[in-house]
Amino acid sequence: MFAMGLGVLALSSCNDYLDKLPDERAELNSDLKITQLLVSAYPTVNNNLITEVLSDNMDDNGRQYSAPVIMEDIYRFQDTSEEGNDTPYYIWGGYYESVAAVNEAIQGINNLGNPASLQGALAEAKLIRAYSMFMLAQTFCMAWNPEKADEYQGLPYPLIPEQDINATYERGTLRQLYEAIDKDIEEALPHIAEAAADYSIPQYHFNVKAAYAFAARFNLYYMKYDKAIKYASEVLGSDPTTVMRYYEPYRGLGFVDFANRWIRSEEQANIMILASYSIAPRYLNSSYRFAHNYDITAYETYWVDMPWGSGSSNNTIIYANKLYGNNQCVRYPSYDEQFEYTDKVAGIGYPHAVDPVFTGDVTILERAEAYCLKGELENAVKDINTWILTHCKESEGKTVRPVMTVKSITSYVKSVDYAKRTPDGNRDRSFRKRMHPQGFTIDVEGSDQESMLQFILHMKRIETVLHGIRMQDLKRYGIEYTHPVVGEDPQIFIRGDLRGAIQIPNTVIAAGLPGNPRQTPEEIKSFVLSTEDEYKDPDEDE
């Protein structure tokens, strides 16, 4: 394997590692060696820990509990200098390592004359590169905003192996970064059917459905809604339930068996699965200082009153009776650590996170969101009802699985108060949060479209707790929220908050790449004060 990929963009180009191929296969002079390299080119890192801790899925349980430094820093919206597993340093290195391996493979294909037999491999390589760069963008950049795309910083997008050039890199703009990702995806899609045909487990690779699921998500974030719908439909087909999770076998399972079944390649909902060296599941499932706790569960996520029920009883949804842990840390068993022992006697080895990064259950909600943003609300509600059908039992207690309409969704959402930006207590919490879309517009508050989006974003939130996606929606929709810190001033995240782009590693900045800018504390405080009226109750005294 390639040495820590941070060297690709932070260290001198004379680094010894950059004079070697990314593995032990020496010269890439055959189709087999190219495809073998691509197997090892998939990223072995994830950003779930920092994006979850940064999001509104987390709360502070008090100083009687401890937390790793990385969680302390990120929860407070502070830049971190930590360099262990799951830190910005580690994430940066891992994804750029993947890009470096891909570039070696692409050069090898070019050196072989770009034969027809390797067009599938070339498509797979471009998708891996695009995915790694997309994940870097979600971590270290602001959300796509066409109005500020030439102002916001992008990231270096290497296209050839570094040992072949006197490497100097610039961050460029967010527009340039998204254009490069888009180019790789669009060039790959026509040929991806040829890519994973020979793999014994296609779900570990960019198979056809995975390629289109990735393209759908990217285009949703890129505000190309027609493409997002088209590509999601390639995944979902005429019967989306065939690529969605069938929950009946899960209902009788305990935590470990549930978690193990969740990540099986035989599970029809799992379109692509990636494994990483990660302690994110351990920290997110057992760190009690900052966690997805009872207050968040009961008043914002799984148990909040919704048409399908509320709490742990009279609730038809699968999540209601499959939560584990305690008041400090509530866990749904979709993200558990897989430990690889190198010495069972000594109890040592490597922690892994195995994550279905694309599923039919998320893809159908992304299509619903794209429909809604286009104003096609009836199509969106069809996808909402398909998701409800697969996630909810027919009845539980006095609650019956609902069938929603645009009118019923709007009526329900409008009956719920907006959450306060800084709650004084649980009565101020809500799944309904004010939106300030970044670079796009939606109808006025309380409209059918806005209500539908509130509903869809809540469904996405509970579908993806612990999996890092919620933070992207907070950034895209400019949703403001607060991280309370016991004994300290609350930390408030505002619309367009530059801290939504995690700071790039110190070593990369020291090597000459500009860091991410930040608003000053005074600027954030001034903005909070100037917008306080937005969050007042209608009957609150002036």
Side-chain angles (χ1 to χ4, degrees):
M1 291 292 293
F2 213 48
M4 175 58 72
L6 185 64
V8 177
L9 289 172
L11 306 180
S12 166
S13 61
C14 65
N15 187 310
D16 289 342
Y17 289 114
L18 301 183
D19 296 326
K20 303 176 183 179
L21 291 177
D23 61 14
E24 301 294 333
R25 283 181 280 278
E27 190 176 355
L28 297 173
N29 54 12
S30 71
D31 289 14
L32 177 60
K33 289 181 178 179
I34 296 289
T35 55
Q36 286 177 332
L37 175 57
L38 285 179
V39 170
S40 64
Y42 282 85
T44 57
V45 296
N46 69 75
N47 69 352
N48 291 7
L49 178 65
I50 59 176
T51 51
E52 278 298 302
V53 175
L54 194 66
S55 80
D56 61 351
N57 285 338
M58 308 297 280
D59 198 5
D60 184 4
N61 289 308
R63 292 188 171 189
Q64 66 270 37
Y65 305 105
S66 61
V69 174
I70 180 63
M71 294 183 75
E72 294 266 2
D73 290 342
I74 298 298
Y75 182 84
R76 289 180 170 84
F77 306 130
Q78 295 175 352
D79 299 343
T80 183
S81 58
E82 292 293 288
E83 295 186 356
N85 277 28
D86 300 282
T87 63
Y89 176 94
Y90 188 78
I91 293 165
W92 178 279
Y95 284 121
Y96 271 119
E97 177 182 341
S98 169
V99 171
V102 163
N103 287 340
E104 291 286 356
I106 291 175
Q107 179 173 274
I109 293 170
N110 291 334
N111 289 344
L112 291 172
N114 201 17
S117 61
L118 284 173
Q119 291 311 293
L122 180 60
E124 184 180 8
K126 289 182 177 181
L127 284 170
I128 298 171
R129 181 168 66 189
Y131 176 76
S132 289
M133 293 305 306
F134 176 72
M135 294 305 294
L136 285 165
Q138 303 319 299
T139 309
F140 298 107
C141 294
M142 298 294 288
W144 169 256
N145 181 340
E147 298 169 4
K148 296 188 176 182
D150 296 313
E151 170 190 340
Y152 286 154
Q153 293 186 112
L155 292 170
Y157 203 109
L159 296 174
I160 56 178
E162 184 168 336
Q163 64 259 37
D164 289 351
I165 58 175
N166 185 14
T168 57
Y169 290 102
E170 295 180 356
R171 290 195 61 166
T173 65
L174 193 64
R175 186 180 305 280
Q176 291 170 325
L177 175 58
Y178 269 68
E179 286 174 348
I181 296 171
D182 187 45
K183 183 174 186 291
D184 267 346
I185 292 173
E186 292 298 323
E187 289 179 355
L189 287 178
H191 304 286
I192 196 59
E194 307 162 33
D198 296 329
Y199 291 129
S200 58
I201 306 179
Q203 289 84 354
Y204 294 158
H205 307 270
F206 268 112
N207 57 77
V208 175
K209 287 187 182 300
Y212 281 104
F214 172 37
R217 182 173 300 167
F218 170 75
N219 279 283
L220 174 64
Y221 291 6
Y222 201 23
M223 303 180 192
K224 310 293 185 183
Y225 303 129
D226 285 326
K227 278 189 174 183
I229 292 166
K230 175 184 175 182
Y231 293 150
S233 297
E234 291 286 341
V235 179
L236 299 167
S238 59
D239 181 5
T241 63
T242 62
V243 288
M244 297 177 71
R245 207 170 297 270
Y246 178 60
Y247 275 105
E248 286 310 310
Y250 287 84
R251 294 188 185 275
L253 301 179
F255 186 95
V256 173
D257 290 338
F258 190 111
N260 288 338
R261 186 181 182 96
W262 187 274
I263 60 174
R264 289 172 56 184
S265 59
E266 295 85 359
E267 168 56 64
Q268 63 184 21
N270 293 340
I271 296 170
M272 191 167 92
I273 304 167
L274 291 182
S276 52
Y277 293 98
S278 172
I279 52 178
R282 184 185 307 179
Y283 283 174
L284 292 172
N285 287 324
S286 61
S287 179
Y288 289 169
R289 176 69 198 272
F290 307 112
H292 179 265
N293 62 12
Y294 172 82
D295 290 346
I296 300 293
T297 301
Y299 295 95
E300 294 197 32
T301 58
Y302 299 123
W303 284 345
V304 70
D305 190 5
M306 293 296 289
W308 47 74
S310 63
S312 60
S313 61
N314 292 326
N315 201 333
T316 62
I317 202 162
I318 178 68
Y319 310 116
N321 304 115
K322 284 298 176 185
L323 300 178
Y324 295 81
N326 51 38
N327 285 347
Q328 288 71 44
C329 186
V330 180
R331 301 177 290 167
Y332 181 69
S334 66
Y335 195 53
D336 195 23
E337 182 176 297
Q338 307 292 316
F339 196 83
E340 175 192 0
Y341 284 100
T342 55
D343 187 334
K344 279 198 171 183
V345 175
I348 58 175
Y350 298 104
H352 295 272
V354 180
D355 195 7
V357 294
F358 297 110
T359 67
D361 301 278
V362 176
T363 301
I364 198 168
L365 295 179
E366 291 173 332
R367 185 173 73 174
E369 184 184 351
Y371 275 135
C372 195
L373 287 165
K374 279 198 69 192
E376 298 181 19
L377 305 188
E378 293 297 339
N379 283 330
V381 85
K382 289 178 185 177
D383 284 345
I384 288 171
N385 281 325
T386 301
W387 187 91
I388 291 173
L389 176 68
T390 57
H391 285 67
C392 299
K393 292 188 292 185
E394 288 186 12
S395 63
E396 181 67 32
K398 298 178 180 179
T399 305
V400 177
R401 180 175 63 209
V403 176
M404 306 306 297
T405 64
V406 173
K407 182 178 179 180
S408 67
I409 289 173
T410 300
S411 177
Y412 185 82
V413 172
K414 288 176 69 173
S415 74
V416 176
D417 290 335
Y418 283 103
K420 290 288 190 68
R421 180 169 55 194
T422 303
D424 292 326
N426 286 331
R427 67 185 182 281
D428 292 333
R429 296 185 184 276
S430 170
F431 77 87
R432 189 185 187 199
K433 301 194 175 186
R434 284 190 162 83
M435 299 176 176
H436 310 92
Q438 300 296 289
F440 62 103
T441 59
I442 59 176
D443 292 342
V444 296
E445 289 183 350
S447 67
D448 288 354
Q449 185 190 47
E450 193 258 357
S451 297
M452 292 273 289
L453 286 169
Q454 292 282 354
F455 205 81
I456 292 166
L457 292 192
H458 176 67
M459 295 163 76
K460 285 179 69 180
R461 184 181 185 183
I462 60 176
E463 180 69 44
T464 61
V465 170
L466 302 184
H467 296 273
I469 291 178
R470 173 64 174 176
M471 190 62 215
Q472 311 314 321
D473 289 347
L474 296 172
K475 290 163 64 172
R476 293 166 56 226
Y477 283 87
I479 295 173
E480 302 184 336
Y481 60 97
T482 295
H483 277 175
V485 184
V486 174
E488 302 177 26
D489 291 336
Q491 300 298 310
I492 301 174
F493 191 90
I494 62 174
R495 68 198 80 165
D497 199 314
L498 298 178
R499 296 169 299 179
I502 296 290
Q503 188 57 268
I504 67 176
N506 290 336
T507 48
V508 179
I509 296 173
L513 217 58
N516 288 328
R518 295 287 184 256
Q519 291 111 332
T520 66
E522 292 73 21
E523 288 173 327
I524 292 174
K525 183 177 180 180
S526 175
F527 180 85
V528 168
L529 290 172
S530 70
T531 55
E532 278 187 333
D533 286 348
E534 290 185 30
Y535 296 91
K536 284 185 177 180
D537 293 328
D539 57 351
E540 190 173 332
D541 291 335
E542 293 296 332

